[in-house]
Amino acid sequence: MGLPDEVIEQIRHAPMWPALVAVAQSTVYDGTITAETPVPSPVMAAVSMPVTVLRGGRTWPFLVTATDRLAELLPTGRLVVVPESEDHALHPAGTAREVAAALGA
């Protein structure tokens, strides 16, 4: 999937490793469909309503690049960084705050 060797080694020692092993059969499929989807795809580019692209404050560099690029390329895209999220983990309160703000709540 393109992760650096050192990241893979860290993941192998993380508490989430057993859960990842359990879904390993889908990894090749997930990697294939995400690698082959142009950004933005024609379906994405056709979205006319405002789009908020969320990402964590500290995540993997390729996800930073992907989310930045997606927000720039979507006609109505806006990038929002959830600063409390680290290492590709969702921060529930920070994410809820940003979603509520995007919805005007």
Side-chain angles (χ1 to χ4, degrees):
M1 292 185 60
L3 293 175
D5 290 343
E6 57 272 9
V7 172
I8 294 170
E9 192 58 30
Q10 288 174 353
I11 293 170
R12 283 188 175 145
H13 297 289
M16 68 180 166
W17 181 250
L20 292 175
V21 171
V23 296
Q25 71 278 6
S26 70
T27 304
V28 173
Y29 173 76
D30 293 345
T32 300
I33 63 170
T34 56
E36 293 177 359
T37 302
V39 177
S41 70
V43 172
M44 292 175 193
V47 173
S48 60
M49 65 181 66
V51 174
T52 300
V53 178
L54 289 173
R55 75 163 164 83
R58 287 187 2 182
T59 190
W60 302 323
F62 77 93
L63 292 176
V64 171
T65 301
T67 53
D68 289 354
R69 184 168 176 233
L70 181 60
E72 288 172 11
L73 293 174
L74 287 172
T76 59
R78 180 177 71 98
L79 176 68
V80 174
V81 177
V82 180
E84 301 91 344
S85 295
E86 296 184 7
D87 300 328
H88 192 56
L90 176 70
H91 184 274
T95 301
R97 178 191 65 239
E98 299 302 340
V99 169
L103 295 173

